[in-house]
Amino acid sequence: MQSDNINPPSLKALIPFLVFLGLFLGTGIILTYQGVEFAFYQLPVSIAIIPAIFVALYLGKETIDKKIGQFIKGAGHENIITMCMIYLLAGAFASVAKATGSVDASVQLGLALFPAYLLLPGLFIVSAFIATAMGTSMGTIAAIAPIALGFVETADVNPALIAGVIISGAIFGDNLSIISDTTIAATRSQGAQMKDKFKTNFKFAVPAAVICLVIFTFLGESIDYQTSSDIQFIGLIPYLLILTLALLGVNVFVVLTVGIITAALIGYISSGYELLAFVSDINSGFSNMQDIFILSLFIGGLSALVKHQGGLAALTRKIEATTRSISKNNNKKAAGVGIGMLAFFTNFFTANNTVSIIVTGDTAKELATDAELTPAQSASLLDIFACISQGLIPYGAQALLLGATMKISPVDVVTYSFYPMVLFIVVLLMFNKATK
């Protein structure tokens, strides 16, 4: 986010983020201790951030009109609006695909391919496939979690483990997907080609996924579950179509729109899906994304205020100095670690991987240019570490949604979120080797 007048670096400007996290996490922890159900949902994230916005407005030295203008400009940033539109379309597609049987068909087919003792790896693969095709971890979780809840209710299986498998697969697919909003934000901010970023990501993501499959295989037990003997293969067409279009480089808005229309047409052909139901499901899909839509706008505005007040510059300077002191003789390694830390900690404060990529993109590009990292490498590191952070914070949208659906604490969800943990180690080892 560009600015004409940014104040000198100041860690004090990060206080609003600390207020936000303190309110949200503090309320959730206290209510959990008191035995309140869905404790982390009692204070919605989109409400918890409002006092932080007021604090940021108070800390700013400009006039109130100018500070509000900065907030509005941040909330209305092109990448923020693009991300919000993707949320809406992804929500609509997930809703229509579920209503017309596409989700059930994909899940049932995936589960039919795996024996009972491989349910956990099967869930990971199904989650990863759908997230890669849809380009959204939230849409994937919203689609699969209710079905996975059925396993928990009918079989003796740890719901936190099931949730950890789903979030792991969803994060893997979201991070690797060509139509993911995080991929779009990362490639745009770094000036990278989509195919080059995909190839770079692939080298890190796939080994981490393989390791996770092994872990989930050893953790899994034979679980009794039933799959439909009459799988509607026609329901797979929307997913296969949007995956193909995405790989061909078609615009993400076109891809999702085509997916929505195709799912509706297949629903009409197979089960007489009606126009009124179609309209209602689209509206429902939009509604499902309301909280994260509002939160994204608020965080975009708050991030703009913090950036104007020198908070992100201070954070960047601190991280850059730290990484250079650690790797004095390897500029590429220092820049890579710096970009990763920048994305990780910014996401920790903003709880939105796409927003964190947007607000740190310019700085990451400068670090990459100075160290002669390729745009694809910097884009990949931004995306990977933002997604790692997002998969491990209990106040992230993914953990919150899974916790609410599976009726467990979001802290329990991230406890079994193994993919981000493994990916973190894999990237550090492989990137370090590549830059020696």
Side-chain angles (χ1 to χ4, degrees):
M1 298 180 183
Q2 300 298 325
S3 171
D4 296 327
N5 298 296
I6 297 180
N7 295 335
S10 171
L11 290 174
K12 180 181 177 182
L14 293 175
I15 291 177
F17 281 136
L18 298 178
V19 170
F20 165 50
L21 294 179
L23 281 173
F24 177 67
L25 289 179
T27 301
I29 292 171
I30 292 173
L31 294 180
T32 298
Y33 178 76
Q34 294 177 347
V36 177
E37 292 187 358
F38 304 121
F40 283 88
Y41 263 83
Q42 301 304 313
L43 178 62
V45 187
S46 56
I47 301 300
I49 196 174
I50 293 177
I53 294 173
F54 286 133
V55 172
L57 291 172
Y58 172 77
L59 291 176
K61 297 179 180 179
E62 297 88 352
T63 65
I64 187 64
D65 288 342
K66 190 168 185 178
K67 287 183 287 188
I68 290 177
Q70 293 168 354
F71 177 85
I72 297 298
K73 186 175 180 180
H77 189 278
E78 178 184 356
N79 286 328
I80 294 288
I81 298 301
T82 297
M83 176 187 65
C84 288
M85 294 302 296
I86 290 174
Y87 278 145
L88 292 179
L89 288 175
F93 175 70
S95 181
V96 173
K98 181 171 180 58
T100 56
S102 290
V103 171
D104 289 341
S106 297
V107 174
Q108 290 292 341
L109 177 62
L111 294 179
L113 298 175
F114 303 98
Y117 60 88
L118 291 180
L119 172 64
L120 297 185
L123 274 176
F124 178 86
I125 291 174
V126 171
S127 300
F129 170 76
I130 294 179
T132 303
M134 293 179 64
T136 164
S137 55
M138 283 295 293
T140 299
I141 291 170
I144 295 182
I147 298 174
L149 180 61
F151 299 142
V152 175
E153 293 176 341
T154 59
D156 184 18
V157 58
N158 184 356
L161 180 57
I162 293 290
V165 172
I166 295 174
I167 195 174
S168 292
I171 292 294
F172 166 79
D174 189 4
N175 179 225
L176 201 60
S177 176
I178 293 176
I179 63 172
S180 169
D181 48 337
T182 58
T183 295
I184 293 169
T187 52
R188 282 184 177 179
S189 67
Q190 303 305 295
Q193 294 294 319
M194 193 77 73
K195 62 179 181 180
D196 295 333
K197 185 264 184 186
F198 177 84
K199 291 177 182 177
T200 304
N201 251 41
F202 192 84
K203 296 176 184 178
F204 301 127
V206 172
V210 171
I211 294 173
C212 282
L213 285 173
V214 174
I215 292 174
F216 290 136
T217 299
F218 279 103
L219 289 178
E221 300 177 356
S222 182
I223 301 171
D224 293 329
Y225 61 91
Q226 294 182 345
T227 58
S228 174
S229 59
D230 184 24
I231 300 174
Q232 301 295 321
F233 290 96
I234 191 175
L236 299 174
I237 293 178
Y239 290 116
L240 296 176
L241 179 60
I242 66 171
L243 181 59
T244 301
L245 291 176
L247 292 172
L248 291 175
V250 178
N251 181 278
V252 62
F253 293 106
V254 176
V255 170
L256 289 173
T257 301
V258 170
I260 293 170
I261 295 174
T262 302
L265 289 175
I266 288 176
Y268 174 75
I269 294 171
S270 61
S271 60
Y273 188 56
E274 297 180 352
L275 178 61
L276 289 179
F278 176 55
V279 172
S280 176
D281 288 329
I282 289 180
N283 184 59
S284 176
F286 287 171
S287 298
N288 291 338
M289 294 295 172
Q290 176 179 302
D291 282 347
I292 195 169
F293 185 100
I294 295 173
L295 178 63
S296 297
L297 293 178
F298 282 174
I299 285 183
L302 178 60
S303 297
L305 287 173
V306 172
K307 184 172 184 178
H308 276 280
Q309 294 166 18
L312 292 181
L315 178 63
T316 300
R317 178 177 292 185
K318 200 74 174 177
I319 290 175
E320 185 177 6
T322 302
T323 54
R324 291 195 184 281
S325 65
I326 293 174
S327 304
K328 296 180 180 179
N329 300 320
N330 192 330
N331 288 336
K332 287 190 175 182
K333 178 182 176 182
V337 173
I339 291 170
M341 290 177 65
L342 192 63
F344 184 94
F345 286 109
T346 303
N347 188 83
F348 177 83
F349 283 114
T350 61
N352 188 302
N353 46 1
T354 304
V355 171
S356 66
I357 291 171
I358 292 170
V359 300
T360 59
D362 291 342
T363 302
K365 189 172 184 179
E366 292 174 5
L367 289 173
T369 301
D370 291 342
E372 298 182 348
L373 291 176
T374 66
Q377 287 177 321
S378 58
S380 179
L381 288 170
L382 268 181
D383 196 353
I384 285 174
F385 278 92
C387 285
I388 288 174
S389 180
Q390 187 69 16
L392 294 176
I393 52 176
Y395 49 91
Q398 291 81 357
L400 291 172
L401 179 58
L402 270 169
T405 304
M406 306 296 286
K407 302 176 182 178
I408 57 177
S409 165
V411 176
D412 292 333
V413 175
V414 299
T415 300
Y416 288 91
S417 183
F418 291 123
Y419 176 73
M421 303 177 194
V422 174
L423 181 61
F424 179 81
I425 297 173
V426 168
V427 174
L428 288 182
L429 293 176
M430 293 184 67
F431 190 80
N432 180 48
K433 183 178 179 181
T435 53
K436 284 184 177 179

